[in-house]
Amino acid sequence: MKIFRTTTEPELKVYKKQKIVANWSFVQIGDHAGMIVVEFDTKAKMNQWHKGMLAVRQGIQADTGMQSWIYHGPVKASG
């Protein structure tokens, strides 16, 4: 959580203020694991965010040795 709050959260707030990100949330799924869910209005905004956050993600991975994955695509509700 400390790494997220100091590196990623400020960037997400900037992108939300610029209206690139429609909505985002962070879910802690373990003691040392988390997942960020980000919503975009258009695919172009998603690509813009992805390119901007690439340096942040690579910096975190280099400093901590952590791994990260990106899944993108529509998410459909089941049921």
Side-chain angles (χ1 to χ4, degrees), residues 14-48:
V14 168
Y15 282 115
K16 174 109 174 150
K17 190 178 237 184
Q18 294 174 350
K19 298 189 189 259
I20 294 171
V21 171
N23 193 17
W24 66 272
S25 63
F26 177 78
V27 180
Q28 189 168 354
I29 55 177
D31 290 341
H32 303 286
M35 180 173 63
I36 301 171
V37 179
V38 186
E39 290 181 43
F40 305 94
D41 296 329
T42 64
K43 189 173 180 181
K45 289 182 180 182
M46 179 186 69
N47 290 335
Q48 186 178 4

Side-chain angles (χ1 to χ4, degrees), residues 2-4 6-8 54-68:
K2 280 185 191 178
I3 293 171
F4 171 77
T6 58
T7 59
T8 309
L54 184 62
V56 174
R57 284 189 25 244
Q58 289 176 339
I60 294 169
Q61 290 173 350
D63 292 343
T64 63
M66 292 177 13
Q67 297 177 350
S68 67

